[in-house]
Amino acid sequence: MKNLKTNIYFKVTTITFIGLLLLIPTFMIENLISEREWTQDEAIREVSAKWGEEQTISGPFISIPYHRYVKQFSQKDSIEKIVQIKEHLHVLPTKLNISGNINPEKRHRGIYEIVVYNSKLDISGTFNQFDLKALDIQTEDILFDQMQFVVGINDLRGIEKQVSLNWNKEKVSFNSGVPTNDIVGSGINASLAINPNVDKIYNFDLSLDLKGSQKLYFTPVGKVTDINLSSEWSNPSFNGAFLPDNREVNDKGFNADWNILHLNRNYPQIWAGSQHSIDPSSFGIDLLLPVDNYQKTYRSIRYAILFIGFTFLVFFFIEVLNKIFIHPIQYILAGVSLIVFYTLLLSISEHLKFNLAFIVSAIATLSLIAGYVRAILKSGKLTMLITGILAVLYTFIFVIIQLQDYALLIGSIGLFIILGLVMYFSRKIDWYNINLEGEK
């Protein structure tokens, strides 16, 4: 037993095994982080289901039903006959202007924060005389008296007030639903009737008071689309197919402008049926919360193997250089205290800002390890050494988390420096004649 106690190879094997064993609770904490993040998402979905989901304004556009004729062969009586099918033409506006203000607010579900918003949008534009010649459809087959002005809206529960359409100075009421699912699956519609033989420009405008959660997106259906949005929210994320041409973001909020041409998207101004999809061209605003503590905690735990490995390496060098024996159980307890840091970080960051939670958790863990090392090594100098090394490691990880774009670069440089220090301090050790009892 004494030989095993002082055998350097047995010691290295034991330390390695303990380090690998401690990765099991590390994986369990990663699963816990995912579970807590899922719980947060569930809270967001619950609030959104009652307030209004993420919203995308698709349109407006005009859908016009028409009759198409196809040959159909009947196997029953071996007769080929012509069958009339009702489909829809879709016409996009020549000019589309959207301006509005978004008023976000935070809601709470338990310990979780959710961003919801009220928006007031003014939508206006023009339709030129419809050019249907390119579609090879007979004018008499087009049902102009059944055309619908359609605005696609993801969640109709977000509409707060009755919506009316001003069509060439004529007021038309909207109804719920869409005439066809060719382009959108949910929205509102207004019935129109025009004379196809009159060469005329049609002007429209409407106001839309819309509630939603976290995201507000639009589709650039106009031949020229101009959108201007403003808000008091100071932490927006501009996402989707197009970024703003001009934007101003400060502590008082943001203002953003988009100008998009029909040449910038991959669908025409008029088509029949479901030949094209407008969804890939959507863009808009994500109203982000300033801190995502779960993502940062998950990123920090990816360095757990570095903490465990480097701490055990320091303990091992202390044993080798100072002829002090540290029991495997003491390695395990020190390793577990390093793992507990991440549970502290996860739980505290749900109530405090992440940076403050990191500092509190790091100080608590360092204090615990310092007290334990002082008790087992009986040396203030060695205690300060180990605590200082761990403090540098925590600072290193903290910096990496803050510098997300440069995390790989800083991490690689840090690991290179650590490896260099280990090689420097171990350069004079005679590994062939080493033992843990001080005997020559």
Side-chain angles (χ1 to χ4, degrees):
M1 184 68 182
K2 183 178 179 180
N3 290 336
L4 284 178
K5 177 179 177 179
T6 59
N7 188 288
I8 192 68
Y9 302 108
F10 177 76
K11 172 65 70 172
V12 170
T13 302
T14 303
I15 294 173
T16 303
F17 177 75
I18 293 172
L20 294 175
L21 196 64
L22 287 172
L23 291 180
I24 296 175
T26 300
F27 294 139
M28 294 174 65
I29 295 175
E30 287 187 11
N31 291 334
L32 179 61
I33 295 172
S34 299
E35 180 183 332
R36 298 297 292 178
E37 190 171 21
W38 182 87
T39 303
Q40 182 189 48
D41 293 340
E42 187 65 26
I44 292 173
R45 285 192 292 269
E46 184 178 345
V47 173
S48 299
K50 298 177 181 179
W51 177 268
E53 302 283 354
E54 300 172 355
Q55 298 284 18
T56 298
I57 308 299
S58 302
F61 56 89
I62 290 177
S63 291
I64 311 173
Y66 73 98
H67 290 141
R68 185 166 69 91
Y69 300 91
V70 297
K71 293 181 179 180
Q72 190 177 75
F73 182 77
S74 175
Q75 294 183 348
K76 183 177 181 181
D77 47 19
S78 300
I79 297 176
E80 187 177 72
K81 56 184 178 179
I82 304 298
V83 178
Q84 185 185 78
I85 298 176
K86 187 177 181 181
E87 293 188 349
H88 287 80
L89 299 172
H90 308 292
V91 183
L92 306 187
T94 306
K95 179 70 177 175
L96 174 62
N97 299 302
I98 300 177
S99 62
N101 183 262
I102 306 172
N103 297 307
E105 56 182 281
K106 295 180 181 179
R107 294 296 176 94
H108 292 83
R109 175 67 67 185
I111 63 173
Y112 302 108
E113 282 188 335
I114 298 98
V115 182
V116 299
Y117 62 82
N118 289 281
S119 65
K120 184 173 180 60
L121 304 172
D122 295 316
I123 303 173
S124 62
T126 60
F127 285 88
N128 284 357
Q129 179 67 21
F130 304 155
D131 183 12
L132 306 177
K133 297 178 181 178
L135 297 177
D136 193 25
I137 298 175
Q138 299 299 320
T139 303
E140 57 269 20
D141 292 327
I142 302 176
L143 308 178
F144 286 100
D145 59 334
Q146 298 181 27
M147 63 187 297
Q148 301 284 333
F149 184 97
V150 181
V151 181
I153 301 173
N154 282 14
D155 189 352
L156 298 180
R157 293 171 299 178
I159 300 176
E160 293 193 279
K161 296 180 181 179
Q162 180 63 40
V163 186
S164 296
L165 170 66
N166 293 315
W167 178 262
N168 268 9
K169 299 182 180 180
E170 180 183 351
K171 194 170 185 178
V172 184
S173 295
F174 274 96
N175 298 307
S176 178
V178 293
T180 173
N181 292 329
D182 288 347
I183 299 180
V184 295
S186 174
I188 55 178
N189 73 88
S191 297
L192 301 176
I194 66 169
N195 186 346
N197 299 316
V198 177
D199 189 5
K200 192 175 183 181
I201 295 178
Y202 301 93
N203 299 303
F204 68 89
D205 66 84
L206 61 104
S207 293
L208 183 63
D209 291 353
L210 188 66
K211 298 190 302 183
S213 301
Q214 299 195 89
K215 295 182 179 182
L216 178 60
Y217 278 37
F218 303 88
T219 52
V221 294
K223 195 168 187 178
V224 177
T225 301
D226 287 307
I227 296 179
N228 174 265
L229 297 176
S230 61
S231 175
E232 295 180 355
W233 190 257
S234 60
N235 194 46
S237 176
F238 301 101
N239 288 320
F242 302 96
L243 295 177
D245 295 299
N246 301 290
R247 61 180 177 180
E248 181 181 352
V249 182
N250 52 44
D251 294 338
K252 296 181 180 180
F254 72 86
N255 187 281
D257 297 291
W258 290 262
N259 177 263
I260 301 164
L261 305 177
H262 72 293
L263 300 174
N264 303 135
R265 13 144 271 221
N266 197 30
Y267 47 87
Q269 288 300 114
I270 183 170
W271 71 86
S274 56
Q275 299 177 24
H276 302 280
S277 173
I278 64 175
D279 291 339
S281 66
S282 63
F283 63 93
I285 305 285
D286 291 3
L287 302 173
L288 298 179
L289 289 170
V291 176
D292 190 345
N293 58 298
Y294 295 114
Q295 288 298 319
K296 288 188 174 182
T297 304
Y298 184 80
R299 286 168 53 201
S300 66
I301 202 172
R302 304 305 294 268
Y303 297 94
I305 185 63
L306 174 64
F307 273 93
I308 296 171
F310 197 66
T311 303
F312 284 4
L313 187 63
V314 172
F315 278 13
F316 176 71
F317 277 135
I318 288 174
E319 286 194 78
V320 171
L321 298 176
N322 295 275
K323 309 303 180 183
I324 299 173
F325 179 74
I326 301 177
H327 196 276
I329 296 297
Q330 294 169 326
Y331 275 93
I332 293 174
L333 292 175
V336 170
S337 65
L338 294 174
I339 299 300
V340 170
F341 162 78
Y342 297 104
T343 60
L344 285 174
L345 178 60
L346 174 62
S347 57
I348 296 175
S349 65
E350 291 184 332
H351 303 276
L352 301 177
K353 292 184 178 180
F354 179 84
N355 290 351
L356 181 57
F358 191 99
I359 293 172
V360 171
S361 302
I363 291 175
T365 303
L366 288 174
S367 300
L368 178 64
I369 293 178
Y372 186 65
V373 169
R374 173 70 179 178
I376 63 176
L377 297 183
K378 312 296 184 183
S379 170
K381 183 179 179 180
L382 293 177
T383 300
M384 291 296 293
L385 174 64
I386 294 176
T387 305
I389 290 173
L390 288 177
V392 170
L393 276 178
Y394 280 119
T395 304
F396 173 63
I397 300 304
F398 183 78
V399 170
I400 288 179
I401 292 173
Q402 304 307 312
L403 303 175
Q404 181 175 357
D405 293 337
Y406 300 96
L408 179 60
L409 175 62
I410 300 300
S412 300
I413 294 174
L415 290 175
F416 181 82
I417 293 174
I418 289 172
L419 177 61
L421 291 173
V422 171
M423 295 173 69
Y424 176 80
F425 286 108
S426 63
R427 70 192 187 283
K428 294 183 179 180
I429 297 177
D430 186 357
W431 297 101
Y432 286 103
N433 296 313
I434 195 170
N435 63 67
L436 298 177
E437 289 186 325
E439 299 173 359
K440 303 293 184 182

